[in-house]
């Protein structure tokens, strides 16, 4: 007898338990799961993955802003002094590029995760029908 994480709510349960005491997810010995429980599990799985990816996209946007704000500051200071500021030579342009590139990768990953979820959802619907 070992402890495993419940596929639905992630609480520790025994391997010999037939159902999770916290959420009621059925752990059947014959390997057949209720299709409604599979759908619920897929919804929770998508929600958790998208939450993590959203948080990473906020980090990428923050990195972009960390580079953009000093560039804007130096540009405004240059205008006040009357000095020409070349933004392509500023260190912040690299930080903006890194943040934007990371943001695009994360958004692409979100699209991929959603498409994979749709495939799994269709498979779950085929089990019901």
């Amino acid at each position: 007898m070992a402890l495993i994480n419940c596929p639905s709510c992630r609480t520790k349960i025994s391997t010999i338990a037939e159902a999770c005491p916290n959420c009621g997810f059925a752990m059947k010995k014959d390997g057949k799961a209720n299709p409604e429980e599979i759908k619920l599990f897929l919804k929770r799985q998508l929600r958790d993955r998208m939450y993590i990816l959203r948080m990473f996209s906020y980090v990428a946007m923050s990195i972009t802003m960390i580079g953009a704000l000093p560039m804007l500051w130096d540009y405004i200071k240059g205008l006040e002094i009357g000095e020409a500021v070349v933004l392509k030579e500023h260190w912040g342009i690299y930080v903006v590029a890194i943040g934007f590139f990371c943001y695009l990768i994360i958004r692409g990953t979100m699209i991929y995760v959603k498409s994979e979820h749709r495939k799994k959802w269709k498979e779950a619907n085929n089990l019901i029908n």
Side-chain angles (χ1 to χ4, degrees):
M1 178 178 81
L3 291 177
I4 60 170
N5 289 332
C6 172
S8 180
C9 66
R10 307 271 194 265
T11 58
K12 295 282 185 187
I13 59 172
S14 171
T15 55
I16 60 173
E18 292 186 19
C20 175
N22 188 33
C23 67
F25 185 82
M27 306 289 288
K28 298 181 180 176
K29 301 294 182 198
D30 59 0
K32 296 180 182 175
N34 183 1
E36 293 301 320
E37 290 175 352
I38 292 172
K39 282 184 162 184
L40 181 63
F41 173 69
L42 288 175
K43 283 182 184 178
R44 289 179 179 168
Q45 187 180 32
L46 177 67
R47 179 197 64 202
D48 293 344
R49 287 181 180 170
M50 294 305 288
Y51 175 79
I52 290 169
L53 288 171
R54 257 186 247 113
M55 292 301 115
F56 279 133
S57 71
Y58 295 146
V59 170
M61 287 186 278
S62 298
I63 290 170
T64 303
M65 293 307 296
I66 287 170
L69 290 177
M71 285 175 51
L72 180 64
W73 179 263
D74 289 345
Y75 182 74
I76 292 171
K77 293 278 259 185
L79 287 177
E80 288 176 353
I81 298 172
E83 173 182 305
V85 177
V86 180
L87 294 178
K88 290 182 181 178
E89 296 173 0
H90 195 277
W91 62 269
I93 196 77
Y94 301 110
V95 178
V96 168
I98 290 169
F100 184 69
F101 184 69
C102 291
Y103 180 78
L104 289 178
I105 289 173
I106 292 166
R107 285 297 171 169
T109 306
M110 290 173 88
I111 292 169
Y112 175 75
V113 166
K114 284 183 181 180
S115 68
E116 288 297 313
H117 173 74
R118 284 189 196 109
K119 289 177 189 174
K120 290 179 184 177
W121 191 260
K122 286 179 184 178
E123 290 174 8
N125 281 335
N126 290 338
L127 287 176
I128 293 173
N129 296 331

